[in-house]
Amino acid sequence: MSSIAEPLARSRPRPLTRLTYRPDIDGLRALAVLAVMFFHYRVPPFSGGFAGVDIFFVISGYLITALIAREMAEDRFSLWRFYERRVRRIIPALFALLVVASVAAWFVLFPHDFRRYARSALAAAFFGSNFQFWSVTGYFDVAAFQKPLLHTWSLAVEEQFYLLFPAFLLALRTVRQKTRIAAVGVVFLLSLTLSIWGVHTHPDAAFYLVPFRLWELMAGALLALGLVAEPRSKVLAEAASLIGLVLIGCAVLFYSDATHFPGAAALLPVLGTALVIYGGAEAGTFVNRALAWRPVVFVGLISYSLYLWHWPVYVFARYYLYRELNAGETVLCLALSFGLAVLSWRYVEQPFRRRQGGVPRRVLFGAAGTALVAVSVFAAAVLTSHGWPDRFRPEIRRILAEEHDTDGLLRYCFARPLSEVNAKDLCQIGAPGKITPSFLLWGDSHADAILPAVSDIAKKHHLRGYFAGESSCAPLIGVFRPDTPRCKAFNNKVIELAKRPEIRTVILTARWGKNADGRAYGDEGNGFVPISDAQAKAKRPADNAAIFARGLNRTIDALLAARKHVVVIASVPEVGWAVPQVLARTRLSGDGRPVFLPEEDFDFRQRVTRPLFHTLAARPGVMVIHPSDVLCGNGRCRVAMGGIPLYRDEHHLSVYGARKLEPLLTGIFGN
C-alpha cells in the first residue's frame, strides 16, 4: 500500500513547516500490515485484520498532506517532483513482484485463471486494480485465493488519490487555513455519507472505489492540516494514543466477514489511527514508545514490500494445494513472505528511492515506461492464447474444459433488463418452431445451469417454454437481497408472466441453501448474505430461514392460486471448491484417491431447506425433485462421472452434469 509507501519524513499538524521523523508511525504501519497478513492467512484471532488497509489509508492521507502543505508553505511544491517520488516509491517494488508472480503463474495457474491473472496484472500496472476487481465481483466470480493480485486494489485507490489530491490542494493554496480545512472537511463528510449508504446498497463499489474510501484518506489529511491542535499535555496524549490503539484492536479482533464494511464500521480503525497519530505528536507516551521499538519499526519499514509479497505467496501455495494451509505451511509461507519483503526492500526499494547516488530520473521514467509496455505485451499474449492451454497434456485440458461447459444461451438469456422480462422478449427453450410456450423455468444461475436438461426433456415432449433467470435471485416473492437490489422487481415481473393462462407448468430452482442458511460456502468467502421481507430483516444467518420459507411459500401460493403445476428442483450439492481444477490438480500429481463431497456436509448445508421441501411435496399441485437422489449415495456426493467433472466450478453443474439428471427430471411436465 502506498501509505506504506510514503517517504519516512513525518510532520506534526502544527506547524506544517516542521517535518520530523516519527518512528511510531512506522510502528503503526507494522500493526496494519501484520493485521492484514494474519487475516489473509486465517490466523486467529485476527478476523477483522482487513481493517489494516484502512489504517494505511489514514496514514497515507496524513503524511501526503503534511508533505504537500509544508512544501506549499515554503513555495517549493512541484507536481513533477511529487510524482517522481511516487514513482520511485511505488513502481520498482510493484514491478519486481509482477515479474516473479508472472513466472509463478505460468507454472501454477490453469488456463482460465492465467487469463484472469493477466488481466489483473495489466490493471495493477496501470493502477486500475480496484476497477478491475470491482467489475468482476458477483455471482460468477472466482474465490479470492485464485487472485494473486487482488490486494493491489488498495494501491490503485491510493494512486488515484495521489493523482487528484495535490491538484485539489493547489487550488486551495491561496485561501485561508480555515477555508482549506473546511473544504477538506466537506469532502470527508460527503465521502463518509456515501460510504455508509453504499455499504448496504452497492457493497462492492463501496469496498473498491475511491469515492467511498476517500473519507479515510481525508481523516489523515484533516489531522495534518491542523483541524485539532496538538495535545497540550502528556496525559491527553497518553489517553488519545491508548484509546486509539483500543479502537484499532476492537476492529482487528472483533470484526469479521459478516461485518458491513467499510461504511460506519470503518470509523473504528480510522478514528483509532487518527488518535494514535495525534497522541504520538507528544513523544514519550507509552504507545509512542511501544510503536517506536526497533523490531516493530523495521517491520514498518519493509511493510510496503511485505504487503506486496504476502498475498501472492499465500495464493500460489493455496492454489497449488487446493486446500487450506496447515499450521506448518502457514508459518513457512509467512517466513517466505518476510524473506522476500526484506530482499525487495533492500535491493529494489532503497536503490530506487535514493535520488542522490541512486537511479537517475531519466533512467527511472524510462524503466517505468518499459515495464508498462512489457506487462501490456505479456497480458496480450496470455489473453490471445487463451491462457496457453498447451502447457498441459490433453487429459488435463479435457477436465478443465468443463469450466466453460455452459449452455449457449447463458450470455444472452441470463439477467435480462427488467424491461425485457415479458412474454415477447424473454428467451424461449425446448422444442423449435412456432409452439406456444407452456412452461416457465425460473430461478438464479442454478436454473441456468440446469437449463440444458430441462430443454432436452421439453423437446422430447414437443413443448416450448420461457427461461427467466437473474443472478443471485431465487424465486422468492417479496424477498429482498442487498447484493441483488433488482431481484425483488424481477420476481414481481416473472410472477405476472407465470400467471398467463397458456403457462401450465412453472419450474423453480435456485441455490436454495445460500438464501436459507444466509452464508457463503467453502472457498466462496463472501460472508453473510442477509435477506429481508415486509415482516423482518435478517441480522444474523439464522434469521434467514424464516424469511426464506415465507418467500418460497408466497411464490408457490401465488402459482397454485393461478392453477399452475409447480415443480421445485431442490438443491444441487454445493461442493465448496472448484471441481474441474481440483480434479485436474489431483490427476497432475498422480493422486489416485477418489474426490467427492461427504454427504453429511450436504445434509448439514440443507438442514433448513429439507424439512421445508418435504412439507411442500405434500401439497397438491407441487412436485419436489431432489438432484441428490442421483448425485449422492453411500455417504458421498459425486463430483465427477467417468473422470469428467459434473460441475463447472464450486456449485454450478456443467452441461455434462445437468444432463446426468435428465432421467430424474423426465416427469416434470406430467401428462
Side-chain angles (χ1 to χ4, degrees), residues 533-567:
D533 62 8
Q535 294 176 245
K537 178 180 180 180
K539 296 182 179 179
R540 60 185 188 276
D543 297 340
N544 274 37
I547 301 169
F548 169 79
R550 286 197 298 269
L552 186 54
N553 277 306
R554 219 178 274 126
T555 301
I556 291 175
D557 289 344
L559 294 172
L560 292 178
R563 303 177 64 83
K564 307 300 177 183
H565 171 52
V566 181
V567 178

Side-chain angles (χ1 to χ4, degrees), residues 153-395:
W153 73 268
S154 60
L155 289 178
V157 168
E158 293 204 14
E159 285 303 309
Q160 291 156 22
F161 163 70
Y162 295 153
L163 185 65
L164 300 172
F165 190 61
F168 178 71
L169 286 183
L170 273 175
L172 297 172
R173 68 184 304 173
T174 59
V175 303
R176 294 185 304 168
Q177 181 73 349
K178 288 184 178 179
T179 305
R180 187 179 298 119
I181 292 173
V184 173
V186 169
V187 175
F188 170 88
L189 291 174
L190 289 174
S191 177
L192 174 59
T193 303
L194 187 64
S195 181
I196 293 172
W197 167 78
V199 77
H200 297 286
T201 58
H202 300 83
D204 295 327
F207 188 86
Y208 284 113
L209 302 186
V210 170
F212 300 88
R213 290 284 192 167
L214 192 56
W215 67 276
E216 302 177 37
L217 293 140
M218 292 298 98
L222 287 169
L223 195 60
L225 291 173
L227 174 66
V228 182
E230 290 183 4
R232 297 182 180 276
S233 70
K234 190 171 182 179
V235 173
L236 178 60
E238 292 275 13
S241 299
L242 193 57
I243 292 171
L245 204 59
V246 169
L247 292 179
I248 291 172
C250 287
V252 168
L253 300 178
F254 299 114
Y255 283 1
S256 71
D257 56 6
T259 305
H260 293 294
F261 200 86
L267 283 167
L268 245 66
V270 169
L271 179 59
T273 304
L275 285 172
V276 171
I277 294 173
Y278 169 75
E282 177 63 43
T285 65
F286 170 77
V287 173
N288 175 274
R289 292 195 305 273
L291 292 176
W293 188 38
R294 289 179 66 90
V296 178
V297 169
F298 180 73
V299 175
L301 291 173
I302 67 169
S303 56
Y304 176 47
S305 285
L306 190 55
Y307 182 82
L308 285 177
W309 284 100
H310 84 280
W311 178 245
V313 167
Y314 172 81
V315 168
F316 285 120
R318 175 74 174 79
Y319 188 97
Y320 182 79
L321 295 170
Y322 263 92
R323 60 170 172 77
E324 283 297 332
L325 305 183
N326 60 37
E329 291 160 347
T330 296
V331 171
L332 183 62
C333 287
L334 286 170
L336 178 60
S337 299
F338 271 96
L340 291 169
V342 171
L343 291 174
S344 173
W345 172 73
R346 175 64 181 85
Y347 296 107
V348 179
E349 285 191 63
Q350 289 193 323
F352 277 94
R353 286 177 60 189
R354 290 195 302 267
R355 287 191 294 273
Q356 300 298 325
V359 178
R361 176 184 293 175
R362 181 178 299 177
V363 174
L364 173 73
F365 282 98
T370 302
L372 287 172
V373 172
V375 172
S376 301
V377 171
F378 163 78
V382 175
L383 293 173
T384 55
S385 68
H386 302 286
W388 268 306
D390 291 341
R391 292 175 294 143
F392 302 96
R393 59 183 187 262
E395 63 173 320

